[in-house]
Amino acid sequence: MGRELLKPLGFIDGRWVPADDGGTIAVDDPATGETIARVPWMGAGETHRAIDAAHRAGPDWAARTAGERARILRRWHDLMLEEQEALATLLTREQGKPLREARAEILHATAFLEWFAEEARRAHGEVIPAHAADRRLLVLRQPIGVVGAITPWNFPSAMVTRKVAPALAAGCTIILKPAEQTPLSALALATLGEEAGVPPGVFNIVTGDAPAIGSVLTTSPVVRKLSFTGSTATGRLLMRQSAETVKKLSLELGGNAPFLVFDDADLDAAVEGAMLSKFRNAGQTCVCTNRFHVQSGIHDAFVDRFAARIRGLRLGHGLDPASDIGPLIDASAVAKVEAHVADALAKGAELVVGGRRGAFDGGYEPTLLTQVRADMLVNHEETFGPLAAVIRFETEDQAIALANDSIFGLAGYLYTSDLARAWRVAEAIETGMVGINTGLISTEVAPFGGIKQSGLGREGGRQGLEEYQELKYLCIAA
Ligand SMILES: NC(=O)c1ccc[n+]([C@@H]2O[C@H](COP(=O)([O-])OP(=O)(O)OC[C@H]3O[C@@H](n4cnc5c(N)ncnc54)[C@H](O)[C@@H]3O)[C@@H](O)[C@H]2O)c1
Ligand SMILES: O=C[C@H](O)CS(=O)(=O)O
């Protein structure tokens, strides 16, 4: 059945609606600048109505059995699989990533629906051995209630289901504000969720004025939880705005991943891992390596192999099957990569590959710098682009110190054939996640998240459901 998945409207209380004042904002293809659609420019009024709808829908949704909620999530998963090619194409058009990466993201997004449909039915509480013979102690796990969610543009489908699936599985209702650059994937998900049986008011989408919408979501006492994925700067702001109503927070924020290659590493595996962890989504993922720390003995061989692989990458439109690297999301993203390259070269780095804009708007060639030093911007700021910066090190202790010299702590990677070293370094790195001899770590079955200024809480895994639950302790006089 040819479903219409391109829905240029907000979704509030089960109805597809325009902005109150009819205002709209363009959604553009980042590779061509062509406008794909216009979505509502909504603000405070629409957000209050969405919160009210979620609040009204909450009790009935929470009262459903976990099995009933699971079956709807499972149906939603199946509908996404039916439409995976259309969803992937829409995602590439609005976000720019190569179609094969968009297909992978759609599968990753459906996996969260399947995983939390399963987890919903295992949200067990506890019976505690009592402190007195005439007492019986229980711990219940109950849904938090109304959730506000705000998601980024780099994974416009998976970042949505990574929040919506556990929230609904737990019995919560949710108001989502997707990134203004990439709202269409979220709206398409809502279309399929509606068909899957998600009741009106359980899942709402408000598009448009981020500060206005965010201000209502963070200050409304009805919203008991805020789940945010995006930059650390925005995360700090939302955290401050949420303080007055003491909201439970999930914050998936910025990263600055170190990638350590020791002399005893498998060179081919390290280069493969480096390609995966650096150039996925043109380097626009929070877990992308931001700085490569390579031990002296393997440094030159690693750089030569890495450079050869990077030179083989094709830059182009995401819908072109020959493209390995798509455009960056906008001009400011390109400017940031350029600033990091210029700063590094001015401070003595060496350009090995790339170093210039691509042949089309929004493109930046995959780039490799060596002789990078700790005082360069690329070492302590998140580049969020296809720039690989290599820093040489001598000793294991030096590598750990370099890796931990950051306010961020999301992901880190290390390559070694020494198991004892793998344990030592993995335990010493200050990140929430570590890839050991692999450059690809994201999965729905494990807790994803960071420490330090990379965030609070975890998404995915068993822990991902607990982020949407409150514990209630019952003390019963027996
Ligand atoms: N840790 C993770 O899982 C993860 C995943 C993806 C992206 N990120 C991070 O996100 C950043 C890139 O995404 P981005 O550029 O969209 O981040 P961003 O913070 O600019 O925007 C993220 C979301 O926040 C909204 N937003 C921005 N200002 C707001 C405000 N004042 N009030 C309410 N909402 C507001 C945006 O509209 C968007 O929906 C990078 O730092 C990346 O590391 C982290
Ligand atoms: O940007 C980071 C997201 O979490 C995407 S993924 O989980 O690494 O695919």
Side-chain angles (χ1 to χ4, degrees), residues 24-25 63 68 98 128 157 194 239-240 292 317 406 420 438:
T24 61
I25 181 175
E68 288 169 335
I128 301 171
S157 190
E194 191 181 19
M239 198 172 183
R240 284 196 295 271
F292 291 89
H317 193 289
S406 174
T438 179

Side-chain angles (χ1 to χ4, degrees), residues 108 154-155 158-159 162 280 284-287 384 442-443 448:
H108 192 38
N154 63 340
F155 286 82
M159 294 304 95
R162 201 166 79 173
R280 188 161 63 102
Q284 299 172 119
T285 94
C286 57
V287 290
F384 228 54
S442 303
T443 169
F448 185 107

Side-chain angles (χ1 to χ4, degrees), residues 258-262 291-295 379 389-393 399 402-403:
F259 186 108
L260 308 184
V261 183
F262 291 92
R291 49 220 164 93
F292 291 89
H293 301 292
V294 184
Q295 199 162 20
N379 182 58
V390 177
I391 301 175
R392 185 193 293 262
F393 73 86
L402 284 167

Side-chain angles (χ1 to χ4, degrees), residues 345-381:
L345 295 178
K347 292 173 182 172
E350 183 180 323
L351 177 64
V352 179
V353 183
R356 58 174 181 247
R357 290 181 179 233
F360 65 94
D361 287 351
Y364 196 88
E365 290 189 355
T367 296
L368 174 62
L369 296 176
T370 58
Q371 311 301 325
V372 173
R373 293 197 319 268
D375 64 325
M376 297 175 183
L377 287 178
V378 67
N379 182 58
H380 52 81
E381 282 184 4

Side-chain angles (χ1 to χ4, degrees), residues 294-314:
V294 184
Q295 199 162 20
S296 278
I298 199 172
H299 176 278
D300 295 350
F302 175 84
V303 167
D304 290 347
R305 294 270 185 94
F306 196 17
R309 287 293 305 278
I310 295 170
R311 290 191 186 98
L313 292 173
R314 289 280 305 277

